[in-house]
Amino acid sequence: MKHLKWSAATIALIGWGGMASATETLTMWYHGAGNEVESKIIHQIIDDFNASQKDWKVELQSFPQAAYNDSVTAGALAGNLPDILDVDGPNMPNWAWAGYMQPLTIDESKITGFLPGTKGMYNGKLYSIGLWDAAISLVTRKSILADLKLRTPTLDKPWSGDEFEAALKAAKASGKYKFALDLGTAWTGEWYPYAFSPFLQSFGGDIIDRTSYATAEKALNGDGAMAWGKWWQHLFKDGYAQAKQDGADRDNGFNTGEYAFSWNGNWAALGALKAYNDVVFLPAPDFGKGSKIGAASWQFGVSAKSAHPDGASKFIGFAIQDKYLAQFSNGIGLIPATTSAAAMVDNYKDGGPLSVFFAYSNKEGMVRPVTPGYVVESKVFEKAAGDIANGAEVGATLDAAVDEINADIKKNNGYAPH
Amino acid sequence: MAQTTPDNRGLRLVVRYTVLTLIAAIFSFPLIFMIMSSFKPAEQLLADAHTIRALLPIGDISLNNYFDAFKRAPVGLFVFNSVLVTSVTVVLSLALCSAAAFAFTFVQWKGRDLALTVILATLIVPFETIAIPLLLEASKLPWIGASGITYGWINSYRVQIVPFIADGLTIYLFVQYFKDLPGELIEAARVEGASWFAIYRRIVMPLSGPVLATAAILKFLAMYNQYLWPIMVTQEEQYRPVMVGLQYFFQLNRAWGEIMAYLSLITVPVLAFYLYLQKAFIASIASTGVKG
């Protein structure tokens, strides 16, 4: 009997030990350090996930956004990437190509209703999924449109290039504004390709030839791109916008009446609504090839070196529930990834003050070039756009940009898979 | 030869002090702007930015930005980390680099000049060029701790300290200063039978106050302002220094008031350290001709 008791106790201990060790820890990196609201929500999701099952325990490490990409690159070099990481949409192909990420194994039926920009597809595989998207609009006021006798454009009938030109001209001629248009040139980095390359695409150009991703020839220096470049330069040359803008003007200029129109994202929309009671968020002008805005924001993915991709994917599958999408949207003002989640958010539900952004994201949103080379191409585009804004000769600048992009593609062997 | 009359002297003084006051004002504008802005809400700060109001404590003044900064980020932890990493590095660097400079200046040994040349040549190598090899090395280095031998120094204080203890600039500063010390003192001590270490400790270092202050301030500033290396090696928040912490405040909608409050807070240790060593620092610049 005594032996039996000992055996039972031993089995129980082994069983308990086995059960205890069955919970595997998943590490996660996130870019939201310093954002109190975002941190609270991501911790809530993790706590809910950890409490919902016993197989996995997610541990979070948050990074400030501005330092995040460098930290991930350093982590990859040092060989200590986490299991789960988040990635800015346009960077995902580069991270997948560089071997930082592996495809997700979540049930794709869960993401059928997601906004197109939230799905991180590369080489036909899903690598990342976003809980939200962001969108840009042309912000103005009903009173300004009325004062300048301008038609209110809609998603179905946006302003043509000529109408946009007439609007800028009327705003300038009114003499009421420091500048007609706030483009946000004070913001550098990814803002340039995110905000301004859709204009290029609407003109019929692009940063790279998306049919092959092998060259920028004709895409960035063809007829469409040349037309964009000339239009872009005239905005500054003719005094409609500032090539060099003060940060304070960008942050506060539209809300204090310095500009008639502001090209800005939905994250700034609540500030504008607070400043005026007649703010309207207009769709992007159509310069011939449709009305376009940038798509894809931060998304979750699984690191290539994760020993537990099943657990990591399970967490991501858990995080993309509507209630969390809605929480993020309520908390940080971004666009929830699904219609059903949007319906749970006052700002984005039908008739909500920001509901147009969901529609813009769905209809006008265009992801940036899905290629590992984008991380270089975006910087080349930023430089070219900046140079043209500051008076550089359009054709020569675009030709030089094409050469630089093509040289990078060649140097990286066409970004062929490793 | 024209004589300086009392009136001339007075005029000269007025002109001199006017120019000096203008220069002082120009240099102190950013600091005053930062401190004043740290007490203002973001909207007012931006509205005041282009006017003289930006330099005055007027309008909606409060400590809210400071409270909010502490809510947004563990400011105390970041300051502690930076002060710890910086202080330890400065102390170790002064000890090691002064000893190295002593050996380069007073001790005759084979290959001395070549070794010094190589060390000085490192001054022209930017840190960015060695950051990645250093990271690869640091990620594999062994360490003996409470849990035995572990590999990889990432996420630790030592990875932020050890690579920066010895550097060419600090050694160069000490070498230049030591060269001006009277050689007779060293020779006399040798004749009396003093060891090299005794000479270093009892004769050379007590005479090196100004260069110690200069080297300490330059090292302190370089370490306190570290950004690239910490973001590569501090994946855990508990080890992050102030400059990485600054990025916590750059969100989509930037909290400029909090940024100014945070900057004001993290400037305090630098100013305190500089003021503490100011006299010796100026004396050293005057004696060595080192600028900036």
Side-chain angles (χ1 to χ4, degrees):
Chain A
M1 189 64 193
K2 197 178 175 185
H3 284 291
L4 193 63
K5 275 184 182 169
W6 274 110
S7 303
T10 309
I11 290 165
L13 272 175
I14 292 169
W16 181 82
M19 275 171 70
S21 64
T23 301
E24 294 279 359
T25 297
L26 299 169
T27 50
M28 176 179 179
W29 286 3
Y30 187 69
H31 76 277
N35 187 322
E36 206 182 338
V37 180
E38 210 170 331
S39 289
K40 202 173 157 189
I41 299 168
I42 195 78
H43 275 107
Q44 178 67 53
I45 296 174
I46 289 170
D47 289 346
D48 290 354
F49 176 73
N50 290 347
S52 72
Q53 44 74 52
K54 290 190 166 50
D55 296 333
W56 312 102
K57 181 174 180 261
V58 174
E59 283 182 359
L60 178 71
Q61 198 56 252
S62 287
F63 296 74
Q65 181 172 334
Y68 182 73
N69 289 345
D70 291 332
S71 297
V72 169
T73 305
L77 285 168
N80 63 341
L81 283 179
D83 296 292
I84 306 158
L85 39 77
D86 76 330
V87 55
D88 196 8
N91 288 345
M92 179 276 293
N94 184 273
W95 288 11
W97 170 79
Y100 302 175
M101 296 177 73
Q102 58 178 299
L104 277 177
T105 54
I106 61 172
D107 177 3
E108 295 212 12
S109 68
K110 281 185 173 178
I111 58 164
T112 44
F114 274 57
L115 286 169
T118 62
K119 298 178 194 176
M121 302 295 294
Y122 174 59
N123 276 348
K125 290 176 184 159
L126 179 74
Y127 276 82
S128 54
I129 185 76
L131 277 64
W132 63 79
D133 204 349
I136 291 183
S137 73
L138 190 66
V139 190
T140 188
R141 300 174 61 188
K142 284 179 189 167
S143 51
I144 293 176
L145 293 176
D147 183 41
L148 301 177
K149 297 182 176 53
L150 300 169
R151 172 180 78 85
T152 303
T154 63
L155 190 55
D156 292 329
K157 198 167 182 246
W159 276 342
S160 65
D162 289 341
E163 282 181 297
F164 185 44
E165 184 72 22
L168 295 178
K169 198 175 272 183
K172 189 182 174 194
S174 74
K176 293 177 181 170
Y177 309 100
K178 187 172 162 187
F179 285 91
L181 177 62
D182 158 35
L183 281 165
T185 46
W187 290 350
T188 52
E190 187 57 25
W191 172 251
Y192 267 64
Y194 173 65
F196 306 143
S197 71
F199 292 139
L200 166 69
Q201 288 138 13
S202 185
F203 270 97
D206 209 335
I207 294 175
I208 191 162
D209 174 4
R210 295 197 192 209
T211 57
S212 67
Y213 285 115
T215 179
E217 195 68 44
K218 292 186 178 155
L220 190 51
N221 59 355
D223 293 343
M226 283 299 294
W228 165 78
K230 285 173 183 164
W231 168 80
W232 179 246
Q233 190 165 64
H234 109 285
L235 289 178
F236 309 98
K237 208 170 156 185
D238 293 341
Y240 294 132
Q242 301 143 285
K244 289 187 181 73
Q245 185 187 35
D246 191 283
D249 284 347
R250 174 53 168 172
D251 286 352
N252 219 28
F254 176 76
N255 295 346
T256 53
E258 288 183 16
Y259 305 97
F261 303 98
S262 177
W263 186 237
N264 210 336
N266 59 305
W267 56 88
L270 290 176
L273 284 167
K274 204 173 143 191
Y276 304 114
N277 61 7
D278 64 342
V279 174
V280 280
F281 305 104
L282 308 178
D286 177 358
F287 294 98
K289 300 290 179 187
S291 182
K292 312 272 186 198
I293 57 168
S297 184
W298 288 87
Q299 302 168 350
F300 289 160
V302 179
S303 92
K305 296 289 188 314
S306 171
H308 309 295
D310 47 343
S313 288
K314 195 172 174 188
F315 170 77
I316 294 170
F318 181 88
I320 57 175
Q321 296 178 62
D322 274 350
K323 62 177 178 179
Y324 299 128
L325 273 52
Q327 272 186 36
F328 263 113
S329 182
N330 276 323
I332 55 178
L334 294 169
I335 305 166
T338 63
T339 322
S340 44
M344 297 161 73
V345 181
D346 285 345
N347 281 332
Y348 289 99
K349 69 184 179 190
D350 271 348
L354 306 182
S355 58
V356 286
F357 284 104
F358 189 90
Y360 295 163
S361 188
N362 202 20
K363 195 169 172 190
E364 299 180 331
M366 183 171 181
V367 291
R368 282 150 277 180
V370 187
T371 166
Y374 177 75
V375 291
V376 173
E377 290 152 18
S378 60
K379 288 178 174 57
V380 174
F381 176 80
E382 181 191 0
K383 185 178 178 302
D387 288 350
I388 292 170
N390 283 295
E393 205 270 309
V394 175
T397 306
L398 293 178
D399 282 342
V402 167
D403 290 346
E404 202 174 338
I405 288 172
N406 286 356
D408 174 69
I409 293 170
K410 194 176 170 192
K411 193 169 75 184
N412 286 286
N413 196 24
Y415 287 102
H418 291 299
Chain B
M1 194 171 167
Q3 272 201 325
T4 310
T5 65
D7 281 353
N8 273 347
R9 269 207 304 275
L11 189 65
R12 274 187 186 183
L13 273 178
V14 170
V15 171
R16 184 183 298 167
Y17 278 98
T18 308
V19 171
L20 288 175
T21 307
L22 269 175
I23 293 171
I26 289 168
F27 279 93
S28 50
F29 274 168
L31 268 181
I32 297 169
F33 176 85
M34 176 182 78
I35 293 165
M36 292 305 142
S37 300
S38 72
F39 299 114
K40 299 176 183 177
E43 300 78 25
Q44 190 192 329
L45 185 161
L46 293 170
D48 288 355
H50 298 297
T51 69
I52 191 71
R53 292 171 61 88
L55 305 174
L56 301 171
I58 48 176
D60 187 4
I61 300 295
S62 75
L63 288 173
N64 288 347
N65 289 327
Y66 287 87
F67 295 130
D68 291 343
F70 275 92
K71 268 193 245 164
R72 187 184 291 279
V75 180
L77 174 71
F78 295 153
V79 173
F80 170 80
N81 288 344
S82 276
V83 170
L84 176 74
V85 166
T86 302
S87 309
V88 174
T89 312
V90 167
V91 170
L92 294 177
S93 177
L94 293 182
L96 193 76
C97 295
S98 63
F102 179 87
F104 282 123
T105 313
F106 300 115
V107 185
Q108 292 295 329
W109 46 280
K110 204 175 173 186
R112 185 184 73 164
D113 293 343
L114 178 66
L116 182 60
T117 307
V118 170
I119 286 173
L120 294 184
T122 63
L123 289 176
I124 59 166
V125 180
F127 176 75
E128 287 77 2
T129 59
I130 61 161
I132 288 175
L134 194 61
L135 172 72
L136 295 174
E137 200 179 323
S139 67
K140 292 180 179 63
L141 283 174
W143 184 257
I144 301 170
S147 50
I149 298 178
T150 54
Y151 291 88
W153 284 19
I154 307 298
N155 291 317
S156 66
Y157 289 121
R158 62 183 177 274
V159 75
Q160 299 179 70
I161 294 170
V162 175
F164 304 100
I165 293 174
D167 74 281
L169 177 64
T170 311
I171 292 173
Y172 172 74
L173 286 174
F174 277 108
V175 166
Q176 287 301 103
Y177 187 84
F178 289 168
K179 276 182 180 170
D180 290 339
L181 291 178
E184 300 80 17
L185 276 177
I186 314 297
E187 283 164 25
R190 288 298 287 169
V191 170
E192 293 293 328
S195 68
W196 284 119
F197 183 69
I199 295 170
Y200 164 75
R201 196 165 73 89
R202 294 185 187 282
I203 298 174
V204 173
M205 291 317 286
L207 292 170
S208 302
V211 70
L212 281 169
T214 305
I217 286 175
L218 294 179
K219 193 76 184 178
F220 189 97
L221 288 177
M223 288 303 297
Y224 199 75
N225 290 327
Q226 282 264 24
Y227 176 71
L228 177 63
W229 183 243
I231 64 168
M232 293 170 78
V233 296
T234 58
Q235 292 145 0
E236 291 175 13
E237 189 174 67
Q238 69 185 92
Y239 297 108
R240 288 179 192 152
V242 289
M243 287 305 158
V244 177
L246 179 59
Q247 298 298 340
Y248 279 53
F249 296 86
F250 285 88
Q251 304 292 326
L252 278 176
N253 294 311
R254 283 167 200 174
W256 287 111
E258 289 175 44
I259 290 172
M260 294 301 163
Y262 181 78
L263 288 172
S264 301
L265 284 169
I266 67 171
T267 305
V268 171
V270 183
L271 281 179
F273 190 71
Y274 178 77
L275 291 174
Y276 176 67
L277 294 174
Q278 189 182 25
K279 271 190 182 172
F281 180 64
I282 292 168
S284 175
I285 287 175
S287 64
T288 62
V290 175
K291 293 175 186 67

